[in-house]
Amino acid sequence: MKSGMDKKNEVDWWKLIRNDELATALDIFPNEKNLEVLEIGGRDGFQAELISKKGYKVTSIDINPLSPQFHLVQKGDVTKLNFNEGSFDIIFSSNMIQEIENIEDAFAEMNRVLKKDGLVIHIVPSGWWSLITNFWHYCLIPKYLARSNKFQQFFNSDVNKENTNSESSKKNLKRLFFHPLGVNTSFVHEIFHFSEINWIKLFKQNGFQIVGKKNCPYFYSAYSVFRFKFLGLRKFFANVGFPSCYCFIMKRDTDISF
């Protein structure tokens, strides 16, 4: 179990990452204030609050908002947005697109509620992030298995019985060893799906014109291994083409109607 200090250090580490990734996106935001921003996947409103402090009007939604909240995050489904057509100047998300199962419906809704001259800014994971995350994941599997009650329950259960706990344990083990980080079936698929080329293809197929792309500032994994260490080296890797996230800037494809 993590100590209180260790938990605080981990929280501070992720605040550093998200702050600096958001700063990459905010550099792209139009200078006009009071623009209407829709944040997809706001979680606890941490980034929405930072965007709001820059003078933007932020509406943040999440399928399962977290509490306590830094900024109001409404419960909402991106595939069924409860907003009028052309409501927002900017649509923003951070490390959320890979979690959406019905991605075509989500993109169609984003296009619908975006103003004709609006911007879409998505921070998305890279294949490099998937690769380094899964490297650490498989290194840490023995440690996880040694501590996991679910693992012990799986091998102690009678596989011939229709046991809910057994089925749940099998599902957990499948996820443990194939380790998808989004909605794909395995991390092998995601190394490809999170590549820069595939993100560009996905966005174009769903009605967006890509007007820019920036590498986010760090190379890191989903595990907070060596947190606060090697920051200069992490930035170097990101700058030379191995970022853990990309920041895509897009507009609506006016030749496509939704």
Side-chain angles (χ1 to χ4, degrees):
M1 183 175 292
K2 294 180 180 179
S3 67
M5 182 59 69
D6 195 42
K7 287 181 179 178
K8 182 181 184 303
N9 286 339
E10 185 167 3
V11 169
D12 289 345
W13 167 245
W14 289 117
K15 281 185 177 179
L16 169 70
I17 295 294
R18 296 302 174 226
N19 269 328
D20 287 1
E21 287 184 347
L22 179 59
T24 301
L26 284 173
D27 283 343
I28 305 157
F29 275 48
N31 292 326
E32 298 93 325
K33 302 305 178 184
N34 295 319
L35 295 180
E36 295 284 351
V37 178
L38 174 63
E39 182 191 32
I40 305 297
R43 298 182 177 91
D44 60 2
F46 176 75
Q47 290 185 317
E49 178 66 11
L50 296 177
I51 297 170
S52 179
K53 287 180 178 179
K54 294 292 184 179
Y56 302 97
K57 296 180 179 179
V58 184
T59 300
S60 183
I61 67 166
D62 198 293
I63 195 73
N64 289 305
L66 302 178
S67 295
Q69 295 184 355
F70 294 90
H71 183 281
L72 176 63
V73 180
Q74 305 174 23
K75 186 174 180 64
D77 183 349
V78 67
T79 66
K80 301 173 183 177
L81 293 173
N82 189 27
F83 306 110
N84 294 330
E85 184 176 340
S87 296
F88 297 98
D89 300 284
I90 302 169
I91 295 177
F92 170 75
S93 77
S94 175
N95 292 282
M96 182 51 58
I97 297 299
Q98 73 279 4
E99 303 287 345
I100 302 172
E101 291 187 10
N102 300 319
I103 193 63
E104 292 84 6
D105 292 342
F107 283 143
E109 280 291 84
M110 289 183 214
N111 269 286
R112 183 182 66 81
V113 302
L114 183 68
K115 292 182 180 179
K116 289 185 178 180
D117 58 348
L119 284 180
V120 177
I121 300 173
H122 290 313
I123 295 175
V124 295
S126 72
W128 307 112
W129 175 80
S130 179
L131 193 63
I132 189 63
T133 293
N134 281 286
F135 168 79
W136 286 117
H137 173 75
Y138 288 103
C139 286
L140 294 170
I141 276 182
K143 181 179 178 180
Y144 174 84
L145 294 181
R147 296 181 178 181
S148 174
N149 290 329
K150 291 178 181 178
F151 180 76
Q152 295 172 11
Q153 290 170 3
F154 174 74
F155 283 104
N156 290 332
S157 64
D158 185 350
V159 294
N160 294 318
K161 293 180 180 180
E162 292 184 3
N163 188 301
T164 302
N165 290 332
S166 177
E167 290 301 317
S168 177
S169 296
K170 290 177 183 178
K171 185 176 180 179
N172 287 333
L173 278 179
K174 184 176 180 180
R175 187 166 184 84
L176 174 67
F177 288 108
F178 288 98
H179 200 232
L181 300 162
V183 296
N184 289 284
T185 55
S186 75
F187 83 92
V188 177
H189 294 82
E190 288 180 334
I191 290 176
F192 167 74
H193 283 288
F194 293 171
S195 68
E196 179 180 349
I197 292 174
N198 200 65
W199 282 121
I200 291 172
K201 180 181 177 182
L202 179 67
F203 293 139
K204 287 183 176 180
Q205 285 177 340
N206 285 277
F208 296 103
Q209 294 180 358
I210 297 171
V211 297
K213 191 270 304 181
K214 298 179 71 174
N215 291 346
C216 288
Y218 295 110
F219 177 67
Y220 64 91
S221 74
Y223 294 93
S224 54
V225 179
F226 300 126
R227 52 182 176 262
F228 298 111
K229 303 292 185 182
F230 316 116
L231 291 183
L233 190 60
R234 292 175 187 272
K235 288 185 177 181
F236 171 78
F237 277 120
N239 286 333
V240 299
F242 303 97
S244 284
C245 290
Y246 304 114
C247 182
F248 284 96
I249 310 99
M250 293 166 282
K251 291 185 177 181
R252 287 177 58 178
D253 187 340
T254 54
D255 293 331
I256 299 177
S257 60
F258 291 85

